[in-house]
Amino acid sequence: MITRKRLAVGVCTLVAALAAGLFPAGTAAADSEPAAKESTTSPRVDLVLDVSGSMRTRDIDGKSRMAAAKQAFNEVLDASPEEVLLGIRTLGANYPGDDKKLGCKDTAQLYPVGPLDRVEAKTAVATLAPTGWTPIGPALLKAAEDLERGASGTGADGVEGGSRRIVLITDGEDTCAPLDPCEVAREIAAKGIGLVIDTLGLVPNAKIREQLTCIAEATGGTYTAVQHTEELSDRVSQLVDRAAKPTVTPVATEGAAKCTDAPQLKPGLYTDREEFGESRWYKVDLLPGQELRASVSVAADRQVNASYGVLVRAVTVHGREIVRGEAAGNGRTDVISSGLRYPKAEADDSDDDKPAAETVCLQVSNSFSAPTAVKTTPGLPVELTIGVVDAPDDSSDVASFGLGRGWWLLGVLVLFGFLAGLLWGWLSRWRVAVWRTN
């Protein structure tokens, strides 16, 4: 008599045989090949954490700012990409006294910039306790030195180059004037070393926001106000991940109020600023057979009202909409993005050596609004990516039967399931017949 176990073994064997036929051993061999070697340049990030006395305040999700920062750091350390060389620097962690001269020297490297030992880094963070002053300027200068040492090949990693980023997390203004941290940031930017400073403020205070925004803008970084542990963890993780991506320097541009006055953009990355609720226009030329791919991101670099959106539209010079992309948010989101894809224009049958280009007008709009106490100038940072590529020669390269590039695999799986079902049914009927015979 055939048992269920034997039937299962038989079916599994058949499945394995069919899978071996559909997916040859060459695929497995390819998967087992060693991963590509890392680049000779490694991205570097120095996390600068405020450990001043005010970090004892309990106003973030019912716990102290320090506890929230520690939790966020642990999550960031767990998720940090392997290729990122990470360091941690503190400010205000060691000197508890009233001597300003000593308090303004209180910055130390808690964990050196280099390959990350997650256990060691977490252990170091766990020892921190809110203590002293807020020497932001001196800490930024030292953090820049941390990253320069690593980039010059004298650090633990022993390699040169790589993007460099400082992520400053603080709950207050610098207390060590006249060493203005904004001037420090400008000094760092003037060195031309490509170091970006991003700032995160734990207190929604106008003076703090102004200072941290100035620091970030001086180096092409971003300022973010965070009031929840999850927001802090997510934002720091985003910035660390961003450091791991290839660095592209955006080109500053200024959109117009209408298409006819709009700047002509070529493929690349652009930055602009857009007032709350404003629309701006840009122009892109497409030759027949080319395809436009555009995406836009608007950063909420200050407190904004809930419910907002971003729209990007492609229209003809005569105002007819071709395609649009839009995204909406409800609640605090640091960056909201949308994009569009405009299929290739059909080539004409003219004998001209140089076919006429089609001008596409891009409209970027936002529906952000801000509370009364929040300044609306300057406008919100806008990042616009323009891509112009040769479109596929035939539709089969993009989709078949409306199923995309994976249609053949779906068909194989459907056929495989159908055959397996038939086989199982036949075996079941045969088993019943044998059982009745016996």
Side-chain angles (χ1 to χ4, degrees):
M1 182 174 67
I2 298 178
T3 64
R4 289 180 180 272
K5 185 175 181 180
R6 289 179 179 175
L7 280 172
V9 170
V11 171
C12 289
T13 302
L14 178 61
V15 169
L18 288 172
L22 288 172
F23 305 101
T27 303
D31 291 340
S32 65
E33 290 180 1
K37 293 182 179 180
E38 293 185 9
S39 170
T40 55
T41 60
S42 297
R44 294 163 174 79
V45 178
D46 211 5
L47 303 178
V48 179
L49 178 62
D50 182 351
V51 196
S52 60
S54 58
M55 290 289 283
R56 299 189 192 97
T57 307
R58 303 178 65 87
D59 60 357
I60 297 184
D61 300 330
K63 52 191 172 186
S64 71
R65 298 168 186 171
M66 192 73 247
K70 286 183 177 181
Q71 180 180 333
F73 263 52
N74 285 337
E75 294 175 3
V76 170
L77 292 172
D78 282 335
S80 178
E82 294 293 336
E83 65 269 28
V84 174
L85 304 180
L86 197 68
I88 303 173
R89 173 168 286 277
T90 62
L91 60 94
N94 301 307
Y95 177 70
D98 297 327
D99 189 327
K100 180 177 179 180
K101 186 175 181 180
L102 293 176
C104 289
K105 293 180 180 179
D106 186 10
T107 177
Q109 193 171 39
L110 185 70
Y111 186 85
V113 177
L116 181 61
D117 183 324
R118 302 179 199 279
V119 175
E120 184 179 343
K122 286 183 179 181
T123 301
V125 170
T127 65
L128 297 175
T131 303
W133 295 63
T134 312
I136 293 177
L140 293 178
L141 284 173
K142 290 294 185 181
E145 292 177 8
D146 297 341
L147 296 170
E148 285 189 75
R149 280 196 295 271
S152 64
T154 58
D157 59 305
V159 297
E160 296 184 356
S163 63
R164 284 166 283 179
R165 186 177 294 267
I166 294 173
V167 180
L168 170 66
I169 301 100
T170 181
D171 71 338
E173 287 184 273
D174 180 271
T175 55
C176 292
L179 187 59
D180 184 355
C182 191
E183 290 299 325
V184 169
R186 293 191 182 107
E187 178 184 329
I188 291 173
K191 292 181 179 179
I193 58 177
L195 194 158
V196 174
I197 303 175
D198 296 290
T199 59
L200 290 87
L202 304 183
V203 177
N205 175 282
K207 286 187 176 181
I208 295 173
R209 180 173 61 249
E210 183 178 354
Q211 185 174 83
L212 296 182
T213 299
C214 181
I215 293 170
E217 290 183 346
T219 61
T222 60
Y223 161 71
T224 307
V226 291
Q227 298 177 52
H228 299 284
T229 306
E230 185 178 355
E231 289 177 351
L232 178 60
S233 175
D234 289 347
R235 185 54 177 161
V236 178
S237 294
Q238 288 173 8
L239 296 172
V240 173
D241 289 343
R242 185 177 295 178
K245 298 177 181 178
T247 302
V248 177
T249 303
V251 177
T253 188
E254 185 174 350
K258 53 185 179 179
C259 182
T260 53
D261 301 329
Q264 193 82 34
L265 302 184
K266 296 180 179 180
L269 180 65
Y270 298 87
T271 59
D272 198 355
R273 280 194 175 268
E274 194 170 272
E275 301 296 333
F276 284 77
E278 186 183 17
S279 290
R280 290 203 170 188
W281 290 86
Y282 312 87
K283 288 189 292 191
V284 181
D285 280 348
L286 292 181
L287 292 172
Q290 290 184 328
E291 183 175 277
L292 170 64
R293 299 175 186 180
S295 64
V296 63
S297 297
V298 178
D301 62 349
R302 68 206 76 176
Q303 186 179 359
V304 297
N305 292 326
S307 186
Y308 40 76
V310 169
L311 168 69
V312 55
R313 300 169 62 227
V315 304
T316 67
V317 290
H318 304 295
R320 180 178 61 84
E321 181 175 294
I322 304 170
V323 65
R324 69 164 54 196
E326 51 192 323
N330 187 7
R332 176 70 194 186
T333 300
D334 297 305
V335 176
I336 184 168
S337 305
S338 184
L340 58 80
R341 178 176 176 178
Y342 173 38
K344 66 175 182 179
E346 295 297 331
D348 56 29
D349 296 328
S350 65
D351 296 330
D352 295 341
D353 293 335
K354 294 182 179 180
E358 174 189 6
T359 298
V360 176
C361 301
L362 285 178
Q363 178 190 24
V364 176
S365 306
N366 76 81
S367 58
F368 282 91
S369 63
T372 305
V374 175
K375 291 183 178 180
T376 58
T377 55
L380 298 170
V382 175
E383 188 172 275
L384 181 62
T385 304
I386 302 295
V388 176
V389 299
D390 291 331
D393 291 333
D394 57 72
S395 59
S396 63
D397 186 52
V398 177
S400 295
F401 309 111
L403 299 176
R405 296 179 186 276
W407 69 271
W408 63 271
L409 178 59
L410 180 60
V412 169
L413 291 176
V414 170
L415 179 61
F416 177 76
F418 176 71
L419 294 176
L422 287 178
L423 179 61
W424 182 262
W426 179 81
L427 288 174
S428 297
R429 293 183 62 184
W430 181 64
R431 174 182 172 278
V432 171
V434 171
W435 179 76
R436 287 179 177 175
T437 302
N438 294 336

